[in-house]
Amino acid sequence: MNFLDLIWLIPFVPLLGAALMLFFGRRLPQAAISLICPGAVGVSFLLSLGAVIQLAGLPEKLHQVTLFPWLPLMKVDFAYLLDPLSSVMILVVTGVGFLIHVYSIGYMGHEGGYYRFFGYMNLFVFFMLTLVLANNYPLLFVGWEGVGLCSYLLIGFYFKKKSASDAANKAFIVNRIGDAGFILGMFFLYQITDSLKFTDVNEALRSARFGVESHFGLLSLTALLLFIGATGKSAQIPLYVWLPDAMEGPTPVSALIHAATMVTAGVYMVARSNVLYQLTPETSFLIAGVGAATAIFAASIGLVQNDIKRVLAYSTISQLGYMFVAAGVGAYWVAIFHLYTHAFFKALLFLGAGSVIHAMSGEQDMRRMGGLKDKIPTTFATMFIASLAIAGIPGLAGFFSKDEIIWQTWSSPLGSHFLTVVGLITAAMTAFYMWRLMFLTFYGEPRMDEHTRHHVHESPRTMTVPLMVLAAGSALAGWLGVPKLFGLPAFFQGFEHWLEPVFEPVAATARAGPETAGHAAEMFLMGVSIVLAVGGIWLAYHVYCRLRAGERPSGGVLYPVLYNKWYVDELYNLLFVRGLSLGGGEACARFDADVVDGGVNGAAWTTRLVSTLSMWWDTWIVDGLVNLGAFTVRALSFPIRFLQSGFLQSYALIFVLGVILIFGYYWVR
């Protein structure tokens, strides 16, 4: 069987499953739904595996399938592209997605809207596969918008719950901001290269017409606009605020959409556009800076959160920042490598958190947990492995990808020692907040009420088996990207070699001095990161492992600021929601309630200042622009509008005069 020519079936099988659920799901028994939807994703995984194996046998490592002409004016077809980069993505989406679908059978078994949930999940997988298999930017954007729609539907799955509906709206609106930048970026790219097909765009950018921009020019602007789209989808500063609230959706949604697949779409898009970013070093530097700022900023908030899923949400934002740091310094294969390893241990952590919540009868506050290690041993053991992996303990998946990112920030021509320091500090913070989660949840004395304590139980096998498979991936996946300094056979650098054809134009990493000196520096950085990771785990143990019921460790001066997420949500609400949208009318009262009562002194003058600025903006800028537009139209239409009287007699007279003038002109001639 030629799997390469059947790659169009990889997304369309889940689409068929979604159609069956959304049209006929209400009439189907639950057992049939449990077979059809996970089975559809499982079939897609098998098709993906067959196609990737056959792709490995091709000398050019590229295969395209055109289904039909789509946008002829832009020379764009509805076509799919399989190359080493898209092959990694489809295996992650279908493989991890299949495990999450199986897990959902047990987790959602007693929930209403069972068929609707699986229909949305299958539809999401279709759009995500369309995104990563597309051979052009417009088709990628179809998948991009489709996963945004499915995210809205799944976050707001519990639609009777106001917080879930609000979170879905927030995710949808914030992502539209980024998508506007993406669309503008596509327009500029088409103007520059006269194409939106990936292979044609790359060929044009590699030609003699273009070179590396020494200043911020049109190419840099195009790259920046595309990156704005990535900041929305991949939750980077300043558009990260939707992701923590997205935890209102069911836990399998958090694992599939907000850990392993959708939020990595921005990283994939930047990696896919690597030829463009290689020509725009200033934009690449900005990407690395935004990624580093997001990584350490989100990690600082995760240090003190008490909701088990919110800790993981801020961890996801931080790890995505790591990926953008790698992409920003030109190490695109490393960004995809961390995307690949992160999919295993972060999906496992979210599903493990769901198993904990299932055991705790819906409780998500870690302060009301503790002592669960022996009551849910499978969940504990798998989350133990995932927490070691994300902390960067040697031998596990996260260690290899995190170490490679830190090394690239040090050695790449686009890197800097500042980025290295930020990466190391973030690694220590990651180890601390993840093991704070582990110690608060599984160790110490039980802190839940008696009723919950007596009903704690391990999850069914439909939930624990996917945990075990993901735990194996969290332990072993990183061995495809072992650093060369260890001197292992080429198989252990297989990930980098596999992606070489896609990232071939990227300049090789420059290392100062002989190779032995480079190895020494890499070993030193590796040792520092290990020490910091172990130190973070030890500090979390020292502070939280012996915590008793009712106790709360002292958080210090920064605790209220970090706990309230640096008051960014309140600031956005003040400036944009109630400021620009409502003209500052009720901004003062809201700011006082949200911020002053939250412990920030001296906010009154800030409130008055911002309110005054908002009113000035509304009166002179917003209304002024509208009035200016009306005045301009009136001025330009001055000679014409007297002819548009609205009276039929006047129009008839003008018509007759026009006919007389025309005949008169020809009579004179």
Side-chain angles (χ1 to χ4, degrees), residues 290-302:
V290 170
T294 304
I296 196 167
F297 178 80
S300 70
I301 298 174

Side-chain angles (χ1 to χ4, degrees), residues 363-655:
E363 180 60 66
Q364 295 185 201
D365 193 331
M366 296 183 297
R367 293 171 297 183
R368 299 190 180 95
M369 298 181 186
L372 297 178
K373 178 167 65 75
D374 298 323
K375 295 181 180 294
I376 46 176
T378 303
T379 301
F380 164 72
T382 53
M383 288 191 71
F384 189 92
I385 294 171
S387 298
L388 289 176
I390 194 174
I393 298 303
L396 300 177
F399 164 74
F400 296 106
S401 55
K402 181 202 70 174
D403 170 72
E404 195 65 43
I405 291 174
I406 292 173
W407 170 236
Q408 293 290 340
T409 61
W410 181 275
S411 61
S412 170
L414 295 176
S416 70
H417 295 173
F418 174 76
L419 293 176
T420 305
V421 172
V422 172
L424 289 170
I425 295 173
T426 304
M429 296 166 72
T430 301
F432 176 84
Y433 66 64
M434 281 310 309
W435 282 88
R436 172 181 177 266
L437 181 151
M438 289 295 293
F439 291 133
L440 284 175
T441 303
F442 294 103
Y443 290 85
E445 298 179 2
R447 298 182 298 278
M448 68 287 292
D449 58 68
E450 287 297 323
H451 175 76
T452 304
R453 184 182 305 181
H454 285 94
H455 286 80
V456 173
H457 59 284
E458 185 60 275
S459 301
R461 292 190 65 80
T462 52
M463 295 171 64
T464 56
V465 170
L467 295 182
M468 290 185 274
V469 176
L470 288 169
S474 300
L476 302 175
W479 286 92
L480 291 176
V482 177
K484 295 177 182 177
L485 64 89
F486 290 144
L488 294 179
F491 169 81
F492 293 96
Q493 290 86 47
F495 204 91
E496 180 179 3
H497 296 325
W498 176 249
L499 291 174
E500 274 178 359
V502 182
F503 304 134
E504 185 179 1
V506 177
T509 299
R511 297 181 179 181
E515 187 174 356
T516 53
H519 286 345
E522 187 172 1
M523 286 293 292
F524 173 75
L525 291 173
M526 190 183 299
V528 172
S529 68
I530 293 171
V531 170
L532 290 174
V534 173
I537 296 173
W538 176 86
L539 183 61
Y541 170 82
H542 179 73
V543 175
Y544 290 101
C545 194
R546 297 183 177 86
L547 200 65
R548 291 184 171 84
E551 290 184 345
R552 192 179 94 176
S554 173
V557 177
L558 270 179
Y559 181 86
V561 178
L562 298 180
Y563 183 76
N564 289 286
K565 301 160 287 187
W566 295 93
Y567 297 101
V568 173
D569 281 307
E570 288 79 5
L571 181 62
Y572 281 13
N573 188 58
L574 173 70
L575 292 178
F576 303 117
V577 179
R578 301 183 181 278
L580 290 179
S581 299
L582 302 179
E586 52 179 303
C588 299
R590 187 66 181 177
F591 189 81
D592 283 331
D594 289 344
V595 178
V596 178
D597 294 345
V600 177
N601 297 320
W605 68 271
T606 307
T607 305
R608 290 192 294 271
L609 174 62
V610 173
S611 179
T612 302
L613 291 174
S614 298
M615 294 170 63
W616 177 86
W617 176 275
D618 185 60
T619 303
W620 294 100
I621 303 299
V622 178
D623 290 346
L625 286 174
V626 173
N627 294 333
L628 177 62
F631 175 80
T632 303
V633 172
R634 177 181 288 269
L636 293 175
S637 66
F638 181 78
I640 306 299
R641 57 193 173 93
F642 288 104
L643 301 177
Q644 301 294 326
S645 63
F647 293 106
L648 184 61
Q649 300 94 322
S650 301
Y651 298 154
L653 176 61
I654 294 172
F655 177 77

Side-chain angles (χ1 to χ4, degrees), residues 77-236:
D77 298 325
F78 198 102
Y80 290 133
L81 163 71
L82 187 66
D83 67 352
L85 177 57
S86 57
S87 69
V88 171
M89 297 301 296
I90 61 174
L91 289 175
V92 168
V93 173
T94 57
V96 176
F98 172 69
L99 295 173
I100 294 172
H101 273 71
V102 173
Y103 176 96
S104 300
I105 296 172
Y107 191 87
M108 301 296 293
H110 301 290
E111 297 282 351
Y114 189 75
Y115 76 93
R116 182 166 52 88
F117 174 81
F118 275 101
Y120 293 161
M121 292 279 277
N122 268 201
L123 187 63
F124 168 82
V125 173
F126 160 73
F127 279 120
M128 189 66 201
L129 289 171
T130 298
L131 189 157
V132 298
L133 280 172
N135 86 332
N136 57 77
Y137 284 96
L139 187 55
L140 183 151
F141 189 70
V142 169
W144 188 278
E145 289 297 282
V147 294
L149 169 65
C150 294
S151 175
Y152 169 80
L153 296 172
L154 286 165
I155 294 169
F157 180 76
Y158 300 123
F159 55 86
K160 293 184 179 179
K161 188 178 176 184
K162 186 178 185 303
S163 58
S165 298
D166 290 344
N169 291 332
K170 186 175 184 179
F172 193 81
I173 293 169
V174 171
N175 272 277
R176 298 294 73 73
I177 299 171
D179 294 348
F182 192 106
I183 294 172
L184 290 173
M186 282 197 297
F187 288 159
F188 277 109
L189 193 62
Y190 182 74
Q191 180 187 8
I192 293 169
T193 65
D194 196 34
S195 178
L196 287 173
K197 187 178 178 181
F198 295 141
T199 52
D200 293 344
V201 168
N202 291 342
E203 183 179 353
L205 292 174
R206 291 190 187 114
S207 68
R209 292 168 51 200
F210 301 99
V212 177
E213 285 194 340
S214 58
H215 61 282
F216 194 89
L218 187 58
L219 278 179
S220 297
L221 176 61
T222 303
L224 177 61
L225 288 169
L226 292 176
F227 176 63
I228 289 173
T231 61
K233 196 66 69 184
S234 293
Q236 298 295 285

